[in-house]
Amino acid sequence: MKHPAMKKERDGGYHAIKGFAYQFDASLVRIFENPSSAAELEGKQDLSVENYHIQVKHRSEKFSVSAITSAVQLMFRQFQQDNSSQFILHCHFADQPPGLERELTQDELDRILDDFSDEYDYSTCSKFLSACKIAFRENYQAQFKQVLELIKNRLNARDEIEATYYHAILHGYLRDVVLSNPIGARRVAFRSLRQAISSARTAIFESAYVEQCGYEKYLKAVRKRYTLRTVNIAAERIVSFECDATMDVDVLAEVVLLLRDKYCSKPGHPPPYVTFRGDFDSLEIKKALWDAGARFNDGTGYHGGLFRMQELISPPTSDLKLKVVDGEHLALLMDSVRIKEFHDFYVTEIERTPHKASTASHVFVRSFEDLLQVL
């Protein structure tokens, strides 16, 4: 018979993953309930919506003060810095009825702050008791079902199967927002969720179109899309290419030139930002672009120079019609420039649309040579 402590240690990874899933679902609920407000993930607290800062905890055992001590101490420390903030501990405990909300008692707060390392006064404690609520919520499975219902109602999923698929997409999207952005830039609004689903639908449609109608017919449809669509010349846009070791960098350079001429044909038009991902040699691509006549700015000024975002956004010379941005700088770019369009040309896997881009296009290609005929 296994010792209970050994079983608990062995299940640690399971409980950690379940905890993150519960937190993401709690975040989705709050975003759906506040569609006009942006939520910040993993900032000062697990989740922040307007002036409310939220800690999310899922526990299978009975409620105890010790189980919430670390979470409340974190909220109290933030309250010391800004006593205008409001706090919610969104949590599940086996013995607490979902829907119950209450404040901490003075006795509970005294026990929580018993080993608190920071100095504090009792006036702050009194104000914090009024600013902090414990909100007991459903368990993981019940909250998951609630999220599926919200997805069906707000994102027009046809049934529970499609809602479950959308749920997985949204979890992946939230994960990418957290992992790809620094603290303070992990903001998500309802519009962002809708766009994430729209991008996924587009990718599914593209794959199905190729499978059912054939690749040549698909390319004709893409050509029509890029020939007939009205181009907003004033829009800032990012063009992303999925690369691999077998691609012809000279062909890729020709494709980039076509896009440059399409979107930056006259002085005053904003040069498109071009980025590359996958298995590639950055220097080889940049050399091919330069040899093809694609004078570009990459924010470094010269090879090996220090990257400066402001130099990428506003280059010292105005005759460059192309901007090359490394993937590691995309999040910072999105914070600095209002990107309207995101164009993704992929070979094996779509690039998730940055959550701040207004519109997106995902195009599957077997070879970049095909784009020479399409664009």
Side-chain angles (χ1 to χ4, degrees), residues 172-326:
Y173 171 71
L174 295 182
R175 179 199 64 221
D176 286 351
V177 169
V178 171
L179 295 179
S180 303
N181 297 282
I183 292 177
R186 299 165 179 170
R187 302 181 68 81
V188 178
F190 174 69
R191 178 178 62 85
S192 309
L193 302 183
R194 191 167 52 197
Q195 186 178 69
I197 296 301
S198 177
S199 295
R201 282 174 172 161
T202 299
I204 294 170
F205 172 79
E206 301 286 323
S207 300
Y209 197 110
V210 174
E211 183 70 25
Q212 297 297 321
C213 301
Y215 185 60
E216 292 302 321
K217 190 172 182 179
Y218 167 76
L219 287 179
K220 289 181 180 179
V222 173
R223 182 185 304 115
K224 190 175 182 180
R225 181 194 311 173
Y226 274 85
T227 301
L228 299 182
R229 71 183 296 273
T230 301
V231 177
N232 180 4
I233 291 299
E236 296 279 9
R237 53 183 55 84
I238 294 174
V239 183
S240 175
F241 293 93
E242 183 188 17
C243 304
D244 59 40
T246 64
M247 72 176 179
D248 188 324
V249 292
D250 294 323
V251 171
L252 177 59
E254 287 187 64
V255 171
V256 172
L257 283 172
L258 284 175
L259 288 167
R260 180 203 64 182
D261 294 342
K262 180 180 183 66
Y263 292 119
C264 190
S265 58
K266 297 180 180 178
H269 296 169
Y273 292 92
V274 181
T275 188
F276 309 96
R277 66 185 194 279
D279 183 12
F280 66 95
D281 185 324
S282 177
L283 291 180
E284 284 295 316
I285 290 179
K286 290 180 178 181
K287 180 178 182 300
L289 288 173
W290 205 261
D291 289 346
R295 300 293 181 259
F296 62 84
N297 169 43
D298 63 0
T300 65
Y302 61 93
H303 172 54
L306 180 66
F307 173 80
R308 296 178 175 85
M309 178 57 70
Q310 194 54 43
E311 186 168 310
L312 176 66
I313 297 172
S314 302
T317 177
S318 60
D319 62 340
L320 301 178
K321 296 183 178 181
L322 192 68
K323 298 178 178 181
V324 177
V325 55
D326 293 336

Side-chain angles (χ1 to χ4, degrees), residues 29 43 80 89 95 100-101 190 225 283 292 295 312 336 339:
V29 170
Q80 288 179 298
L89 179 58
D95 62 338
L100 173 65
E101 293 190 3
F190 174 69
R225 181 194 311 173
L283 291 180
R295 300 293 181 259
L312 176 66
S336 306
I339 300 297

